[in-house]
Amino acid sequence: MHKLMLTTQEIMNLTHCSRAKVEKAGREAKAEVVVGAYRRWNWDRLVEYYGGTSMESREIMLSTQELMQVLGCGRRNAEKIGKLANAQFVCGSYKRWSMDKIRQFVYREAN
């Protein structure tokens, strides 16, 4: 199976977390891989460590505020839907939500 290895900047873009938070989370998850002068992070290990499920590809991650706008509801309902969809990813003290998992959940519930 192919492992998705991302740079610190790519993870910062996906999760909207600072460099320090990404590096701290990566070390806690034991996801850091250093080859020479290059540092990469095992995305699947990061996600699994922080309570998500393994992902085969990169996903768009939304903040709670963005999730509220996408779903057109308040914070409580947005977080409830996100948790039901198993879309929550925690980076430090920040919650991010997988847009793909939210979309799949909403389509599944609508049908």
Side-chain angles (χ1 to χ4, degrees), residues 104-111:
Q104 290 172 2
F105 177 77
V106 169
Y107 288 145
R108 190 173 54 241
E109 292 298 311
N111 293 326

Side-chain angles (χ1 to χ4, degrees), residues 16-30:
H16 305 288
C17 289
S18 68
R19 178 175 297 278
K21 287 190 184 294
V22 167
E23 290 176 355
K24 181 181 177 191
R27 287 189 194 100
E28 287 176 6
K30 295 183 172 72

Side-chain angles (χ1 to χ4, degrees), residues 5-27 31-34 37-43 46 91:
M5 304 298 284
L6 302 176
T7 64
T8 303
Q9 186 64 48
E10 290 171 324
I11 293 184
M12 289 168 55
N13 293 342
L14 287 169
T15 61
H16 305 288
C17 289
S18 68
R19 178 175 297 278
K21 287 190 184 294
V22 167
E23 290 176 355
K24 181 181 177 191
R27 287 189 194 100
E32 183 177 27
V33 177
V34 178
Y38 298 102
R39 178 186 299 164
R40 296 286 185 266
W41 304 96
N42 182 321
W43 178 247
L46 269 171
C91 178

Side-chain angles (χ1 to χ4, degrees), residues 80-104:
K80 184 177 179 181
I81 291 169
K83 288 177 183 175
L84 287 172
N86 195 24
Q88 184 176 2
F89 179 81
V90 179
C91 178
S93 62
Y94 297 101
K95 289 181 190 174
R96 297 293 179 238
W97 307 94
S98 166
M99 184 63 197
D100 292 338
K101 289 184 180 183
I102 297 289
R103 185 181 303 122
Q104 290 172 2

Side-chain angles (χ1 to χ4, degrees), residues 31-95:
E32 183 177 27
V33 177
V34 178
V35 178
Y38 298 102
R39 178 186 299 164
R40 296 286 185 266
W41 304 96
N42 182 321
W43 178 247
D44 289 332
R45 186 173 287 173
L46 269 171
V47 172
E48 287 172 5
Y49 183 80
Y50 284 100
T53 57
S54 180
M55 288 186 256
E56 294 296 320
S57 62
R58 302 176 204 194
E59 295 185 18
I60 297 171
M61 304 297 276
L62 303 174
S63 67
T64 302
Q65 189 68 32
E66 293 167 332
L67 182 63
M68 289 166 49
Q69 291 173 350
V70 166
L71 296 174
C73 61
R75 178 176 300 276
R76 185 177 296 158
N77 285 333
E79 288 184 354
K80 184 177 179 181
I81 291 169
K83 288 177 183 175
L84 287 172
N86 195 24
Q88 184 176 2
F89 179 81
V90 179
C91 178
S93 62
Y94 297 101
K95 289 181 190 174

